[in-house]
Amino acid sequence: MTTRDQNNAKNNGVLIIDLEGQTLQPEERDLIQHPGVAGVLFFARNFHDRNQLCDLVNEIRSIRQNLILMVDQEGGRVQRFKQDFTRLPPAESYARYFNRDPQRALELIEDCGWLMAEELLSCGLDLSLAPVLDLNLGLTDIVGDRALGGEPESVIKLATAWCSGVHESGMACVGKHFPGHGGVNEDSHLTLPRDSRSLNAIEQQDMVPFKALIEQGIEAVMPAHIVFSEVDDQPCGFSSIWLKDILRNQVGFDGLVISDCLTMEGAASAGSYSVRVEKALNAGCDLLLLSSRDGVREVLPWLDQSSFSTPELSSLQARGGRDQEELVTMDRYLNCKDRLDYLSERFN
């Protein structure tokens, strides 16, 4: 039995669920105790200010300590927590800075990864769903300024620096959206995009940053809700060809696969929420984002009757962090914020 098979024998839950507001509701207290639930994904609607967020996190932890608490805190237009948090620039700003001054850009993005992670860790969260490893090929605004550029080699350098800072803080990294969202002009939140390029073309371009960051030890990967029709007729997140044959066996990834949200239209073609969950698990996903209360109510009884489990989740749990009072007085923190002001003035 492989290490992965041994880990799969232990059920840590598979669902990452959402919350409706800024305080826990009675039903949510019950939901987060269900063994099928592995964690919580926070949205802007769950946030008012830092104190409120800390109270909410503490309440969740008092009910179930080891849930994985996560948020999209990329920066730019995808930053759920703003008040009392440092406003991070869109990834494209780092790329523009890199084109002018590579060394200083790499130093800044590493410090920004560290700062982002430290701010979340100080509130008790485990994970930011970043970095975006998609290439900006000029085809879609959905990737657009969320990407670290259009050239694989510069994206690798910037993403490596970001992850170095994040890892230094004690937080894991999640590369998304495998094998790359930059080759389509549709929004997978609203429809199911189709990419007709060959596997070789994708491997030689879009997959290059994913392979590099996987080699460097990135802990998790999120697949795209896209059909790559020359490879499989199933969206990547429901495709064992992509997740088992290519990502696991060919690329050699041994971390966690976290689905993109199963409420997105790119996932809806699979069927009911229970069918989406079953297909994603069979394809090779380990954790499943499901931000629909009706969906969670449907899926949890189904999970009770199933035998699915996940690998050990400790790789995603926070391994560091410091008090806010200490953080905001650190020279690195203050210097990073000063340099972000410069970046905002010159490259946004």
Side-chain angles (χ1 to χ4, degrees):
M1 180 180 291
T2 67
T3 299
R4 185 172 174 78
D5 290 334
Q6 290 171 347
N7 284 338
N8 276 338
K10 181 179 180 180
N11 185 2
N12 293 303
V14 295
L15 283 190
I16 307 295
I17 68 171
D18 66 330
L19 304 175
E20 293 182 347
Q22 296 174 5
T23 58
L24 276 183
Q25 301 303 306
E27 182 187 20
E28 292 168 344
R29 297 177 68 88
D30 293 334
L31 290 176
I32 63 176
Q33 294 180 74
H34 192 285
V37 173
V40 174
L41 174 64
F42 290 84
F43 290 86
R45 66 175 178 271
N46 307 128
F47 178 78
H48 179 266
D49 57 30
R50 187 179 182 281
N51 288 335
Q52 169 269 324
L53 176 64
C54 289
D55 288 343
L56 178 56
V57 168
N58 288 337
E59 186 176 6
I60 293 170
R61 296 287 190 206
S62 72
I63 298 170
R64 194 164 166 204
Q65 178 66 33
N66 292 326
L67 291 175
I68 306 296
L69 306 185
M70 60 184 70
V71 66
D72 282 305
Q73 194 81 345
E74 300 171 17
R77 55 194 160 106
V78 184
Q79 179 169 340
R80 308 306 186 203
F81 305 154
K82 297 177 181 177
Q83 176 72 26
D84 300 331
F85 282 77
T86 301
R87 289 301 304 273
L88 299 166
E92 183 181 65
S93 297
Y94 303 115
R96 291 178 180 175
Y97 193 14
F98 181 84
N99 290 336
R100 178 170 175 176
D101 192 334
Q103 185 57 41
R104 289 187 178 179
L106 292 174
E107 291 170 356
L108 177 58
I109 194 172
E110 181 173 347
D111 282 347
C112 286
W114 172 85
L115 182 151
M116 178 282 301
E118 288 284 356
E119 288 189 335
L120 293 181
L121 292 171
S122 73
C123 294
L125 276 82
D126 295 288
L127 195 62
S128 173
L129 297 175
V132 171
L133 298 178
D134 304 316
L135 300 179
N136 183 1
L137 303 178
L139 297 177
T140 172
D141 292 335
I142 301 309
V143 174
D145 65 0
R146 297 172 65 191
L148 290 165
E151 297 296 329
E153 293 308 315
S154 60
V155 170
I156 289 169
K157 291 177 181 178
L158 288 162
T160 297
W162 167 273
C163 288
S164 178
V166 172
H167 283 154
E168 184 181 346
S169 75
M171 179 178 285
C173 290
V174 182
K176 60 187 185 186
H177 306 82
F178 180 82
H181 207 301
V184 295
N185 59 12
E186 298 93 358
D187 181 355
S188 54
H189 292 85
L190 306 175
T191 189
L192 176 58
R194 295 180 179 273
D195 189 327
S196 61
R197 291 177 297 163
S198 69
L199 175 59
N200 182 65
I202 298 166
E203 287 179 324
Q204 296 303 312
Q205 188 173 39
D206 302 65
M207 281 176 60
V208 174
F210 287 94
K211 290 179 179 178
L213 271 293
I214 286 169
E215 288 177 0
Q216 294 170 30
I218 197 169
E219 290 85 358
V221 166
M222 178 180 289
H225 287 315
I226 296 174
V227 171
F228 296 88
S229 55
E230 291 300 303
V231 181
D232 194 0
D233 61 2
Q234 295 297 310
C236 181
F238 298 132
S239 168
S240 62
I241 294 176
W242 275 112
L243 300 185
K244 294 181 180 178
D245 297 345
I246 298 175
L247 180 61
R248 295 289 188 198
N249 296 335
Q250 294 181 29
V251 178
F253 180 61
D254 195 35
L256 291 161
V257 177
I258 305 175
S259 82
D260 208 344
C261 192
L262 296 180
T263 63
M264 293 165 59
E265 281 301 308
S269 63
S272 68
Y273 288 114
S274 295
V275 172
R276 296 177 211 182
V277 165
E278 183 175 19
K279 286 185 175 182
L281 290 169
N282 282 332
C285 288
D286 300 301
L287 294 174
L288 311 172
L289 302 185
L290 185 55
S291 59
S292 162
R293 186 54 45 83
D294 288 341
V296 172
R297 292 177 183 134
E298 174 189 326
V299 167
L300 288 180
W302 180 86
L303 285 175
D304 286 335
Q305 304 301 315
S306 76
S307 59
F308 289 107
S309 59
T310 71
E312 174 60 46
L313 302 180
S314 60
S315 64
L316 299 185
Q317 291 173 332
R319 300 179 297 281
R322 63 193 81 232
D323 291 338
Q324 174 78 354
E325 293 76 11
E326 177 188 359
L327 178 62
V328 299
T329 64
M330 294 179 65
D331 287 342
R332 185 178 185 182
Y333 180 87
L334 297 171
N335 290 337
C336 183
K337 290 177 76 74
D338 286 342
R339 285 179 291 153
L340 279 173
D341 290 339
Y342 169 82
L343 185 72
S344 178
E345 292 171 1
R346 298 294 182 89
F347 299 103
N348 276 356

